[in-house]
Amino acid sequence: MTPTSTSDRRLAIVPGSFDPLTNGHVDIVLRSAGLFDRVIVAVLVNAEKTPMFTAAQRVTMIEEVFSGHSNIEVDSFDGLLVDYARRQGAAAIVRGLRAVSDFENEFQMTLMNRHLEPAVETVFMMPAEQYTYVSSRLTKEVFRLGGSVHGLVPLTIERRMQASQAAARQK
Ligand code: PNS
């Protein structure tokens, strides 16, 4: 597959809902930043009807997490991921694969994205073993039920989660 001449072969998009960003996501983004010249962490707008954080809040929090990395940018997108990737001139979409259970959905998404836009490849990376069980969904569930999310999400995100819970309790 040859990317179009306008494609930046070295730009990767790491897309996701990131509600919230976990340490598993951080691991994948940092690995991507080591392989590609530029990485855009792209937050999907309106993925869930009742997200824990708005897309704008997620972008701000993720920017904070990666503020020390000059080749990592954060953005939000709506609509088809491949349209966003094409607009940005990305060569690749990077997704994390934690376990075999992730595979089926990722396989379908990859082939659909390739059908829609053959010039954008999808690349998979495995996070470090200690993050193989970490997901945004489970992290939120644990947090909502009073469990500790320390070590599952970056400290700044943990603090934001606590602050948003405290604010919700005061309402
Ligand atoms: O963090 P998530 O929820 O696993 O990320 C899923 C995401 C954002 C990558 C996926 O839902 C997506 O690409 N949505 C954009 C809409 C789209 O392009 N749909 C067709 C893809 S097959």
Side-chain angles (χ1 to χ4, degrees):
M1 209 73 45
T2 314
T4 62
S5 56
T6 52
S7 285
D8 178 348
R9 296 176 65 92
R10 305 291 293 169
L11 168 65
I13 308 282
V14 184
S17 308
F18 304 116
D19 187 44
L21 181 89
T22 67
N23 281 334
H25 292 132
V26 172
D27 178 291
I28 295 295
V29 172
L30 293 178
R31 286 174 200 277
S32 305
L35 267 187
F36 291 88
D37 293 331
R38 280 174 64 214
V39 169
I40 300 179
V41 181
V43 176
L44 177 68
V45 179
N46 294 339
E48 246 188 86
K49 285 212 167 65
T50 51
M52 181 173 260
F53 296 106
T54 65
Q57 286 172 324
R58 281 175 265 157
V59 167
T60 304
M61 290 188 289
I62 299 169
E63 275 172 349
E64 227 173 285
V65 170
F66 296 112
S67 61
H69 301 264
S70 58
N71 67 337
I72 301 175
E73 299 155 44
V74 189
D75 193 9
S76 59
F77 77 102
D78 212 348
L80 284 177
L81 173 59
V82 287
D83 286 344
Y84 176 77
R86 195 190 295 123
R87 281 199 303 277
Q88 295 296 329
I93 291 165
V94 176
R95 295 284 291 169
L97 263 190
R98 290 163 300 190
V100 178
S101 51
D102 283 342
F103 180 78
E104 196 170 326
N105 186 40
E106 295 297 333
F107 183 68
Q108 279 188 347
M109 282 205 300
T110 298
L111 293 185
M112 180 58 79
N113 285 335
R114 183 180 288 166
H115 165 78
L116 295 168
E117 178 48 272
V120 179
E121 287 292 352
T122 301
V123 175
F124 291 96
M125 289 191 196
M126 316 296 169
E129 299 91 89
Q130 70 260 37
Y131 303 127
T132 47
Y133 64 94
V134 178
S135 70
S136 298
R137 185 182 62 79
L138 277 184
T139 300
K140 272 189 288 197
E141 186 172 316
V142 167
F143 183 74
R144 281 182 176 141
L145 295 174
S148 169
V149 296
H150 191 69
L152 303 179
V153 296
L155 205 53
T156 168
I157 306 264
E158 184 183 343
R159 291 195 180 122
R160 297 284 187 119
M161 288 169 81
Q162 285 160 350
S164 99
Q165 191 177 58
R169 280 191 181 137
Q170 278 178 353
K171 277 186 191 162

